[in-house]
Amino acid sequence: MERKTIKDILADYKKILHHDITVQGWVRAFRSNRFIALNDGSTINNLQVVVDFENFNEEVIKSITTASSLKIVGEVVESQGAGQTVEILAKKIVILGDNFSDDLQKTILQPKKHSLEKLREEAHLRFRTNLFGAVFRVRSAVSFAIHQFFNQNQFFYINTPIITGADAEGAGEMFGVTAFDLNQVPKTEDGEVNFEEDFFGRKTSLTVSGQLEAETAAMGLGRVYTFGPTFRAENSNTTRHLAEFWMVEPEVAFNNLEDNIDLAENFLKYVIGYVLDNCKDDLAFLDKRFAEEQKQKPEKDRAKEGLIEKLENVIKKRFKRVSYTEAIDILMNSKENKKGKFQFPIEAWGADLQSEHERFLVEKHFECPVVPLDYPKDIKAFYMRLNEDGKTVAAMDVLFPGIGEIIGGSQREERLEVLKSKMQEMNVDEHELWWYLDTRKFGSVPHAGFGLGLERLVLFVTGWTNIRDVIPFPRTPKSAEF
Ligand code: 4AD
Ligand code: MG
């Protein structure tokens, strides 16, 4: 007898009508000692199992409670009741896992509304809720679509190191990696930590980005992408920052900035389109939840579009490309800026764009995704290509509604001498990055790439507001449970 997922049963029930099948799952509800709503995680939809209690002993019936796990053998029949097309008439029920009901009462598995804070504290149990089931199925679909997009476009998947000696972003936000006993750290004669005695014989950290290594791979393989965990020890307690997050970083030889923006736009549209086509049930659920959330807000803060509508519109509209200089003009002359509504007022060219400015451009001014480009060189990383004007670099960010920056990228500085002088200016150690500089010595070519924060994209497609809820086990300042 075949074991089927609930997703399969609901999709193909006509083929298996009046067959006996086996299903396994968790009880979401047990009504009138007769109807079990069973869920196995394969879909947001539950399967109804009908239990004729006269056929089962009392012990079994008593053990069928919310959250218990069951194996059921039964016949597939067309449902008599409203609300479902198919149900299973139970012939055999095996209780796989009972509940410790006193403990259960205290958890989020108890069927009632729980705060998101409480759901986060019990991240190990939240996979069992409709909400998080939907979010994590969508997250999985997003990851799959990312690989599929690159595969279809002849990119090679490269794994770059997680432990590294290089600070790719030069921002000094790295978590150190050491095998030292921290109570007895070896020191040099000058009293500094002697990393030569450490495991790797040098100072190492968790990577903030796979870009520099990906660039070296692109210099031989042409089109590559990385997709892995990255780590940042920035003390940002916001709804958009994690200390551990997943980044997708394509890097393409012979691409310039414009090619890079085209790639980013096509890529995002492909992945969002994939989710719209393949996650219909979960999106319908999230769409409803999104609408309910909007109702709770004051009218002026409500989203103009529903979740699914918003996703469809992003695919239809061309992203607005605008120079940083133009963006700063718009911001500087905005009513918001003049009336002091921004927490960080824009005073002059050269200011870094904060999330409030990004969202103003996207949500109020252009009303579509925006790609500012050619940023001042002083606010961007050392590896970005210096423009003719000598004061801007060939950088691009992609800004999304409700999120702000979702992608950051650039054309890279491929000219050895220019790169060296920028590294000097920005205090990036040439000796440490000797291998990176080598790629500019032997057949250097123009190239470009970007980084997408996976969780920011999942936030967008699920209509969620807090980044801690779209990664299974979030790591943030003062929090690393599980
Ligand atoms: O803009 P960032 O810092 O760019 C880089 O790291 C480049 N090396 C990428 C490249 O060109 N290959 O980060 C890229 C993206 C951001 O746009 C954002 O979506 C996400 O990574 N990101 C974070 N997501 C969650 N938590 C954080 N603390 C993040 N920091 C960046
Ligand atoms: Mg950035």
Side-chain angles (χ1 to χ4, degrees):
M1 205 178 323
E2 208 185 334
R3 204 182 101 211
K4 284 184 172 290
T5 63
I6 290 177
K7 184 178 180 181
D8 283 341
I9 294 167
L10 295 176
D12 308 328
Y13 76 93
K14 287 202 170 119
K15 289 189 210 137
I16 49 172
L17 266 184
H18 305 299
H19 290 225
D20 279 359
I21 58 157
T22 301
V23 281
Q24 306 189 74
W26 295 270
V27 176
R28 281 293 172 82
F30 188 33
R31 278 191 298 123
S32 322
N33 267 3
R34 190 169 160 77
F35 301 106
I36 302 173
L38 195 74
N39 191 283
D40 68 356
S42 60
T43 158
I44 193 156
N45 300 310
N46 298 327
L47 178 66
Q48 173 149 294
V49 178
V50 183
V51 183
D52 211 339
F53 57 89
E54 281 149 25
N55 299 340
F56 296 91
N57 76 40
E58 217 174 297
E59 275 311 293
V60 169
I61 299 286
K62 250 174 54 193
S63 296
I64 304 173
T65 57
T66 300
S68 60
S69 46
L70 310 178
K71 176 176 173 176
I72 291 164
V73 181
E75 185 187 341
V76 181
V77 297
E78 269 171 332
S79 178
Q80 306 297 309
Q84 64 281 318
T85 43
V86 60
E87 61 195 19
I88 307 292
L89 294 179
K91 293 185 173 167
K92 191 174 144 200
I93 298 177
V94 181
I95 311 290
L96 298 174
D98 257 330
N99 285 319
F100 296 82
S101 57
D102 288 349
D103 289 349
L104 186 83
Q105 297 297 322
K106 295 180 212 139
T107 73
I108 57 166
L109 295 178
Q110 197 206 355
K112 63 165 216 192
K113 204 167 162 58
H114 301 283
S115 71
L116 286 172
E117 197 52 52
K118 176 126 170 100
L119 286 158
R120 233 168 265 147
E121 281 164 18
E122 292 175 28
H124 62 303
L125 298 176
R126 63 182 181 169
F127 298 102
R128 295 254 205 118
T129 64
N130 274 338
L131 223 56
F132 286 93
V135 168
F136 292 124
R137 275 187 297 271
V138 170
R139 181 183 165 110
S140 170
V142 167
S143 299
F144 177 77
I146 288 168
H147 283 296
Q148 181 142 297
F149 173 85
F150 287 122
N151 189 261
Q152 285 175 0
N153 287 284
Q154 299 178 38
F155 281 69
F156 299 105
Y157 176 40
I158 292 292
N159 302 111
T160 49
I162 288 170
I163 299 174
T164 175
D167 182 356
E169 294 303 300
E173 292 168 337
M174 304 184 87
F175 290 101
V177 172
T178 180
F180 281 151
D181 172 352
L182 292 183
N183 292 313
Q184 296 175 39
V185 176
K187 298 278 174 72
T188 61
E189 282 171 7
D190 313 337
E192 308 260 309
V193 176
N194 186 359
F195 286 105
E196 279 178 22
E197 284 187 36
D198 204 351
F199 189 90
F200 295 108
R202 57 175 300 161
K203 191 176 174 195
T204 51
S205 308
L206 294 177
T207 190
V208 294
S209 157
Q211 178 195 321
L212 303 189
E213 291 90 349
E215 278 188 57
T216 69
M219 290 302 107
L221 290 164
R223 296 180 198 180
V224 301
Y225 72 105
T226 71
F227 187 176
T230 47
F231 308 86
R232 295 194 184 180
E234 54 185 331
N235 204 353
S236 316
N237 245 317
T238 78
T239 53
R240 308 176 318 127
H241 287 89
L242 290 163
E244 175 179 301
F245 61 100
W246 285 67
M247 203 176 352
V248 183
E249 296 182 273
E251 194 66 41
V252 186
F254 317 111
N255 263 12
N256 62 21
L257 186 65
E258 202 184 331
D259 301 325
N260 202 38
I261 301 171
D262 289 341
L263 178 67
E265 182 165 350
N266 292 337
F267 165 64
L268 287 169
K269 288 180 172 174
Y270 178 89
V271 175
I272 294 167
Y274 181 92
V275 172
L276 278 168
D277 290 344
N278 292 279
C279 303
K280 289 202 160 73
D281 292 346
D282 288 320
L283 276 187
F285 174 84
L286 292 166
D287 188 68
K288 234 198 246 155
R289 180 188 177 276
F290 184 79
E292 277 160 20
E293 265 212 335
Q294 300 306 313
K295 273 192 229 149
Q296 313 289 323
K297 293 185 180 175
E299 187 132 10
K300 66 172 182 35
D301 296 339
R302 282 182 204 162
K304 291 185 191 123
E305 318 160 301
L307 173 63
I308 293 176
E309 202 182 349
K310 176 184 83 171
L311 300 181
E312 285 168 348
N313 284 339
V314 162
I315 292 185
K316 276 187 227 143
K317 284 192 202 161
R318 195 174 141 80
F319 296 0
K320 177 70 190 172
R321 301 167 192 211
V322 45
S323 73
Y324 163 88
T325 304
E326 199 181 322
I328 282 289
D329 275 346
I330 292 168
L331 287 164
M332 227 169 356
N333 294 319
S334 67
K335 262 199 306 223
E336 277 72 0
N337 197 49
K338 289 181 174 159
K339 287 191 180 163
K341 294 258 168 73
F342 288 136
Q343 195 190 340
F344 301 92
I346 300 275
E347 276 155 12
W349 190 93
D352 205 353
L353 299 186
Q354 305 294 330
S355 139
E356 57 178 345
H357 309 130
E358 295 173 343
R359 294 187 54 179
F360 172 84
L361 291 171
V362 174
E363 290 159 31
K364 297 247 163 72
H365 192 83
F366 290 112
E367 299 191 324
C368 68
V370 177
V371 189
L373 44 118
D374 297 329
Y375 281 74
K377 69 175 166 65
D378 296 338
I379 57 170
K380 289 289 182 187
F382 72 93
Y383 50 71
M384 298 192 181
R385 191 178 197 277
L386 191 63
N387 287 327
E388 297 280 288
D389 61 15
K391 55 179 200 171
T392 60
V393 285
M396 45 88 75
D397 278 356
V398 179
L399 314 180
F400 258 30
I403 308 281
E405 180 190 336
I406 197 163
I407 277 182
S410 65
Q411 186 174 335
R412 317 306 189 190
E413 185 53 77
E414 85 284 12
R415 298 161 296 185
L416 182 64
E417 289 314 316
V418 185
L419 181 59
K420 275 184 167 174
S421 73
K422 278 200 67 199
M423 287 168 78
Q424 240 162 29
E425 244 174 69
M426 301 179 97
N427 285 323
V428 180
D429 191 344
E430 254 183 52
H431 302 291
E432 232 162 61
L433 289 182
W434 63 272
W435 48 272
Y436 185 68
L437 288 168
D438 256 9
T439 58
R440 272 62 173 175
K441 289 185 189 160
F442 314 120
S444 187
V445 297
H447 60 288
F450 61 80
L452 163 81
L454 176 71
E455 287 75 18
R456 296 221 179 143
L457 180 57
V458 179
L459 267 183
F460 182 74
V461 295
T462 56
W464 211 270
T465 41
N466 193 326
I467 200 162
R468 293 162 206 220
D469 297 326
V470 297
I471 186 164
F473 300 102
R475 266 86 187 93
T476 51
K478 302 277 177 280
S479 160
E481 192 66 58
F482 310 104

